[in-house]
Structures are given as C-alpha cells and as structure tokens.
Amino acid sequence: MKNFKFKYRSILSLLENKEDSIKNRLGQAYSILNEEKNKLNELQLVDRKYSELLRNETSEGCKLIFLRTIESYREELNRKMVFQNDLIKKKEDEIVSIKNELLEAMKEKKIMEKLKEKKLNEHNMVLKKLEENAVDQIVTYKNSLLHR
C-alpha cells in the first residue's frame, strides 16, 4: 500500500462525517420520542387515577360539582393525550425520514469505499507488476553475467 493516495479521500471523509451527523440526529430524535412517550404514559396514569377516584366517589355519593370538576379535568387530560399522540406520531415520522436520509448517506459512503477499494486493488496490481519486472530484470541480468 505504499504511496497509495485516494484522490477522493476528502469526499469520503465528508460522507463519513455526514453519516455520523445523521446518526447523531437519529439518536436525538429517538431520545425525544422516548421523552414524549413517557409524558403520554404519565398523562395516562393521571387519567386512570382520576377515573378510579371518580368511580370511588360516585359509589359513595358525592356532590355534582365535584363530579363535574373531575370530569372536566379528565377531558383536559384527554385533550393533552390527543396532542401528545399527535406529537409522538410526528416524531415517529421524523425518525422514518432521518432513517431514510441515513440509508442514502450510507449508500453514498459505500459507493466511495468500493471505489477506494477498486483503486487500491489497481494500485496493488501496478506495484506487483513493477515488482515482477524488477525481479525479471535482476534474473535476466544474473543470467547474462553467467553466460559471459
């Protein structure tokens, strides 16, 4: 491999940096998605808690204003859960988009790596030919010295 210099190495390094950058964005998107799912789970837990409270209070008897207050609060929780579900869907769509972008970047990088590999093989073949020629010249020279 001596003296092999891939003339597109700067492009290859840019593609590697692009791929790393996209991987980082994907990781951040997954992190945000998990946070949003956790928020949704918390809202669902609170909703279940108030639903159970509502069931317990109605079985024991309570004031109508209390029931209305709890029910309006649960309606607000449901609105928040719908909003959170929409947010989660958007984040999942964003992740799919980033995955597609990553796939394209990986394909581009793979193409450049294949080209580098091909050029390296060509370089090695040229070196091998030069080496064979040098060996042939040495052998020819030695044979000519012997036959003198």
Side-chain angles (χ1 to χ4, degrees):
M1 274 200 302
K2 67 180 187 182
N3 297 331
F4 174 72
K5 289 196 170 109
F6 184 55
K7 68 179 178 179
Y8 300 116
R9 69 182 172 276
S10 60
I11 294 172
L12 181 58
S13 69
L14 284 174
L15 291 173
E16 289 170 346
N17 291 340
K18 179 181 177 183
E19 181 182 1
D20 290 342
S21 156
I22 295 171
K23 284 180 182 177
N24 287 337
R25 280 187 23 231
L26 183 61
Q28 291 170 346
Y30 269 118
S31 176
I32 292 170
L33 176 65
N34 288 333
E35 288 175 13
E36 297 303 331
K37 284 183 177 181
N38 288 339
K39 288 178 186 177
L40 178 63
N41 287 336
E42 290 173 11
L43 289 172
Q44 289 171 339
L45 286 173
V46 170
D47 185 51
R48 278 188 233 125
K49 175 183 161 189
Y50 276 95
S51 175
E52 196 173 304
L53 176 67
L54 190 61
R55 228 178 294 122
N56 290 341
E57 291 296 321
T58 54
S59 65
E60 296 173 4
C62 63
K63 293 184 179 180
L64 186 60
I65 190 76
F66 178 74
L67 293 176
R68 285 185 181 166
T69 305
I70 289 179
E71 196 54 41
S72 66
Y73 181 70
R74 285 192 64 223
E75 286 174 6
E76 180 62 29
L77 279 175
N78 283 330
R79 279 193 289 276
K80 286 180 181 179
M81 285 189 286
V82 168
F83 175 77
Q84 201 64 31
N85 279 324
D86 291 343
L87 197 56
I88 288 171
K89 178 66 177 145
K90 287 178 185 175
K91 291 299 174 185
E92 288 172 343
D93 291 343
E94 182 181 327
I95 285 174
V96 168
S97 171
I98 293 172
K99 281 182 177 180
N100 290 335
E101 191 177 338
L102 178 60
L103 186 62
E104 288 302 314
M106 290 172 75
K107 285 179 184 178
E108 291 173 359
K109 184 181 117 186
K110 192 71 170 175
I111 289 169
M112 289 305 288
E113 287 174 341
K114 289 286 186 182
L115 180 62
K116 180 180 179 180
E117 187 178 310
K118 182 180 174 186
K119 295 293 183 184
L120 179 61
N121 287 338
E122 289 174 4
H123 177 74
N124 287 340
M125 292 299 285
V126 167
L127 284 180
K128 187 176 178 182
K129 291 254 188 218
L130 290 173
E131 194 175 291
E132 287 173 359
N133 286 342
V135 169
D136 284 346
Q137 287 177 357
I138 291 171
V139 169
T140 305
Y141 178 71
K142 282 186 179 182
N143 280 339
S144 70
L145 287 178
L146 287 175
H147 290 7
R148 280 191 182 176

